[in-house]
Amino acid sequence: MENKIYGNEKLLSFFRNASGAGRLSHAYILEGGEGSGKKTLASFVARLINCKSLGERPCGVCESCRKISEGIDPDVKTVVAEKDKKQIGVDVMRDLRADVYISPNEEDCKVYIIPDAQNMNVQAQNVFLKTLEEPPANVYFLLLCSNIANMLPTVRSRAPSLKMQIFSESELRSHLLDIDPSLRSLDPSEFDMTVRLAGGRIGEALRLLGDSKKTSGETPRDKAESLVDLLIGKNDTASSLVFARKSVKGRDEGRDVLLYSIYALRDLVAAKKGGKGVTMLFYGDRQKAEALAENQTSARLVSVVSLFEEAYNGIQLNLNTDNLFTDLIVSVRKTAGI
Ligand SMILES: [Zn+2]
């Protein structure tokens, strides 16, 4: 799956045309949520730039294409934060600035891929800007980011930005079944929910489906259910805090737990509003949602949903996961009187 690109035809033909006409810009920003295929596309562009074929490019079989696909080409470099740091600091960008002037080893061009460009702090972006202002002729930069608002306007003005395609649910479903036909044997309601949760992103869907293979009780979905039980069902702030600290491991899992919790909580709002026609997205057992919602007002449930949505946005911005859950749970307690 690593090299196959689903959809995104407009972006592919844009890059093919620009490259064929010798009009490639030295830098591009590829914007899209996690799991939307930015890295796969960046690898495609790096192959397009360095492919040795005289026919269709990238050919996928020449030495350059092969090495880039395997991630072992010395002239296609990935730029990340220093170890144990979340932000890409100024030192990383100074090193990069020095590195761009060193000639390529094997290829005609060097390509630098920055997978989490939104994590460059302001000083780092300013140093990078100097590199962008006078890039060596054979150097290209691909800045991948989940939210372009985090990039300085000065950087954006020198790097055209392109958005990754968001798939419809039916497109996503068919791409997923193409990648992994064994998904046909998955419980259809679970498959449907994953497709919805993935928000049109293939990588995100595959990650969520990978989670669902974990032992029961350990998946982010199970953890979300427990958290909502403690927080809303039992109204137990202390146990919720302990649960979040002990059970939610790291930012990625935190994000998934928040995402599933949002769906669970929206089900409670729907259950509260009643009407037999309302479909539950999270709770297979509608009565469970109704029981949880029973002693809550709609107003409170709606505020709790927004608090979770805020926390979900916060976790995307790399805020500390433990603090984020603590603040969230404390804020939820404050809504108890609504
Ligand atoms: Zn090639």
Side-chain angles (χ1 to χ4, degrees):
M1 112 114 225
E2 188 57 36
N3 287 318
K4 178 155 180 187
I5 299 179
Y6 288 88
N8 287 293
E9 287 87 2
K10 281 186 190 155
L11 290 182
L12 297 179
S13 62
F14 168 84
F15 280 115
R16 278 201 180 97
N17 292 340
S19 164
R23 285 187 289 102
L24 271 182
S25 165
H26 280 285
Y28 289 97
I29 298 174
L30 304 179
E31 187 190 16
E34 297 205 28
S36 60
K38 301 187 294 290
K39 286 181 194 155
T40 313
L41 181 64
S43 168
F44 168 88
V45 177
R47 275 178 274 142
L48 186 63
I49 289 170
N50 281 316
C51 177
K52 300 291 181 285
S53 165
L54 298 173
E56 197 188 331
R57 310 174 60 201
C59 69
V61 292
C62 73
E63 181 83 357
S64 303
C65 280
R66 208 179 45 73
K67 281 191 165 174
I68 295 169
S69 294
E70 289 173 20
I72 54 168
D73 193 299
D75 296 316
V76 176
K77 300 189 180 189
T78 302
V79 181
V80 294
E82 286 169 297
K83 198 167 178 283
D84 299 327
K85 291 202 176 153
K86 280 179 184 163
Q87 287 205 321
I88 301 176
V90 73
D91 289 342
V92 174
M93 286 299 139
R94 287 204 182 108
D95 289 348
L96 170 76
R97 210 178 163 205
D99 196 74
V100 298
Y101 293 103
I102 301 170
S103 303
N105 280 294
E106 297 172 9
E107 308 298 348
D108 296 330
C109 299
K110 287 170 95 167
V111 181
Y112 294 88
I113 299 171
I114 310 180
D116 293 298
Q118 74 275 354
N119 294 350
M120 282 196 268
N121 65 27
V122 171
Q123 296 94 313
Q125 290 194 49
N126 279 320
V127 170
F128 179 62
L129 189 61
K130 290 183 190 146
T131 317
L132 265 190
E133 281 166 350
E134 44 191 68
N138 59 347
V139 170
Y140 295 89
F141 302 98
L142 298 167
L143 288 77
L144 320 187
C145 77
S146 49
N147 184 359
I148 199 167
N150 297 346
M151 307 301 301
L152 291 179
T154 41
V155 172
R156 285 158 64 175
S157 72
R158 289 185 180 272
S161 62
L162 303 158
K163 271 193 185 3
M164 298 301 297
Q165 183 181 354
I166 300 287
F167 294 110
S168 69
E169 287 181 13
S170 66
E171 286 167 332
L172 188 56
R173 201 172 271 124
S174 88
H175 294 331
L176 288 169
L177 291 172
D178 182 54
I179 293 167
D180 183 0
S182 77
L183 292 172
R184 284 175 209 283
S185 60
L186 202 70
D187 170 12
S189 69
E190 186 166 346
F191 187 46
D192 277 359
M193 190 175 74
T194 308
V195 166
R196 282 196 198 105
L197 289 178
R201 294 164 289 163
I202 292 182
E204 183 72 354
L206 289 171
R207 204 173 55 76
L208 293 168
L209 288 164
D211 281 344
S212 71
K213 288 182 186 137
K214 287 182 189 164
T215 325
S216 158
E218 290 175 356
T219 71
R221 189 190 169 156
D222 297 329
K223 289 178 185 178
E225 187 164 358
S226 303
L227 183 62
V228 172
D229 275 351
L230 288 170
L231 205 53
I232 302 297
K234 300 204 170 59
N235 216 354
D236 185 342
T237 307
S239 304
S240 305
L241 285 169
V242 172
F243 178 81
R245 288 237 163 215
K246 281 196 169 168
S247 308
V248 180
K249 303 210 167 57
R251 179 174 165 267
D252 284 349
E253 185 172 83
R255 200 183 51 181
D256 290 348
V257 170
L258 290 173
L259 186 61
Y260 281 111
S261 301
I262 290 168
Y263 277 80
L265 290 161
R266 285 185 189 154
D267 274 2
L268 301 193
V269 175
K272 190 78 200 170
K273 292 193 171 150
K276 293 291 167 215
V278 186
T279 26
M280 299 281 114
L281 292 178
F282 182 87
Y283 291 100
D285 175 6
R286 188 196 172 92
Q287 283 173 338
K288 166 126 206 226
E290 283 169 351
L292 279 166
E294 200 174 15
N295 298 319
Q296 307 293 332
T297 63
S298 291
R300 183 188 188 208
L301 291 172
V302 169
S303 333
V304 175
V305 172
S306 359
L307 289 170
F308 270 79
E309 285 169 345
E310 266 173 45
Y312 181 70
N313 292 334
I315 213 163
Q316 312 264 48
L317 295 175
N318 258 337
L319 300 182
N320 176 287
T321 307
D322 276 350
N323 294 346
L324 198 122
F325 271 91
T326 304
D327 290 348
L328 170 65
I329 292 164
V330 170
S331 308
V332 169
R333 182 176 59 185
K334 290 184 187 154
T335 64
I338 302 181

mmCIF file of all heavy atoms in Angstrom, residues 47 51-53 58-62 64-65, ligand 1:
data_model
loop_
_atom_site.group_PDB
_atom_site.id
_atom_site.type_symbol
_atom_site.label_atom_id
_atom_site.label_comp_id
_atom_site.label_asym_id
_atom_site.label_seq_id
_atom_site.Cartn_x
_atom_site.Cartn_y
_atom_site.Cartn_z
ATOM 1 N N ARG A 47 10.090 10.928 -6.424
ATOM 2 C CA ARG A 47 10.403 10.001 -7.529
ATOM 3 C C ARG A 47 10.251 10.712 -8.868
ATOM 4 O O ARG A 47 11.058 10.541 -9.772
ATOM 5 C CB ARG A 47 9.471 8.783 -7.465
ATOM 6 C CG ARG A 47 9.994 7.698 -6.527
ATOM 7 C CD ARG A 47 9.028 6.537 -6.447
ATOM 8 N NE ARG A 47 8.021 6.814 -5.432
ATOM 9 C CZ ARG A 47 6.747 6.488 -5.527
ATOM 10 N NH1 ARG A 47 6.288 5.866 -6.601
ATOM 11 N NH2 ARG A 47 5.910 6.779 -4.562
ATOM 12 N N CYS A 51 13.376 10.449 -11.102
ATOM 13 C CA CYS A 51 13.262 9.246 -11.930
ATOM 14 C C CYS A 51 14.167 9.353 -13.160
ATOM 15 O O CYS A 51 14.275 10.405 -13.785
ATOM 16 C CB CYS A 51 11.810 9.071 -12.361
ATOM 17 S SG CYS A 51 11.575 7.659 -13.464
ATOM 18 N N LYS A 52 14.804 8.226 -13.496
ATOM 19 C CA LYS A 52 15.749 8.230 -14.623
ATOM 20 C C LYS A 52 15.090 7.831 -15.946
ATOM 21 O O LYS A 52 15.738 7.809 -16.985
ATOM 22 C CB LYS A 52 16.904 7.254 -14.339
ATOM 23 C CG LYS A 52 17.705 7.594 -13.079
ATOM 24 C CD LYS A 52 18.507 8.878 -13.257
ATOM 25 C CE LYS A 52 19.323 9.221 -12.017
ATOM 26 N NZ LYS A 52 18.522 9.755 -10.910
ATOM 27 N N SER A 53 13.819 7.468 -15.894
ATOM 28 C CA SER A 53 13.161 6.991 -17.106
ATOM 29 C C SER A 53 12.961 8.116 -18.127
ATOM 30 O O SER A 53 12.719 9.272 -17.757
ATOM 31 C CB SER A 53 11.795 6.384 -16.735
ATOM 32 O OG SER A 53 11.024 6.231 -17.899
ATOM 33 N N PRO A 58 6.892 9.028 -12.582
ATOM 34 C CA PRO A 58 7.973 8.126 -12.184
ATOM 35 C C PRO A 58 7.712 6.706 -12.676
ATOM 36 O O PRO A 58 6.572 6.239 -12.621
ATOM 37 C CB PRO A 58 7.937 8.186 -10.654
ATOM 38 C CG PRO A 58 6.541 8.582 -10.309
ATOM 39 C CD PRO A 58 6.041 9.412 -11.447
ATOM 40 N N CYS A 59 8.777 6.044 -13.100
ATOM 41 C CA CYS A 59 8.597 4.723 -13.711
ATOM 42 C C CYS A 59 8.361 3.641 -12.656
ATOM 43 O O CYS A 59 7.728 2.630 -12.936
ATOM 44 C CB CYS A 59 9.814 4.376 -14.565
ATOM 45 S SG CYS A 59 11.309 4.061 -13.585
ATOM 46 N N GLY A 60 8.905 3.860 -11.466
ATOM 47 C CA GLY A 60 8.706 2.875 -10.407
ATOM 48 C C GLY A 60 9.712 1.738 -10.427
ATOM 49 O O GLY A 60 9.735 0.923 -9.497
ATOM 50 N N VAL A 61 10.531 1.647 -11.475
ATOM 51 C CA VAL A 61 11.462 0.509 -11.548
ATOM 52 C C VAL A 61 12.945 0.913 -11.597
ATOM 53 O O VAL A 61 13.809 0.099 -11.314
ATOM 54 C CB VAL A 61 11.154 -0.413 -12.755
ATOM 55 C CG1 VAL A 61 9.837 -1.136 -12.554
ATOM 56 C CG2 VAL A 61 11.132 0.368 -14.062
ATOM 57 N N CYS A 62 13.234 2.173 -11.945
ATOM 58 C CA CYS A 62 14.652 2.552 -12.002
ATOM 59 C C CYS A 62 15.232 2.579 -10.586
ATOM 60 O O CYS A 62 14.504 2.561 -9.602
ATOM 61 C CB CYS A 62 14.825 3.908 -12.705
ATOM 62 S SG CYS A 62 14.281 5.317 -11.725
ATOM 63 N N SER A 64 16.569 4.951 -8.920
ATOM 64 C CA SER A 64 16.136 6.099 -8.104
ATOM 65 C C SER A 64 14.729 5.874 -7.551
ATOM 66 O O SER A 64 14.488 6.054 -6.351
ATOM 67 C CB SER A 64 16.143 7.377 -8.944
ATOM 68 O OG SER A 64 17.415 7.586 -9.490
ATOM 69 N N CYS A 65 13.807 5.469 -8.422
ATOM 70 C CA CYS A 65 12.432 5.220 -7.967
ATOM 71 C C CYS A 65 12.419 4.178 -6.844
ATOM 72 O O CYS A 65 11.734 4.326 -5.839
ATOM 73 C CB CYS A 65 11.571 4.712 -9.121
ATOM 74 S SG CYS A 65 10.994 6.033 -10.200
HETATM 75 ZN ZN ZN B 1 12.024 5.789 -12.225
#
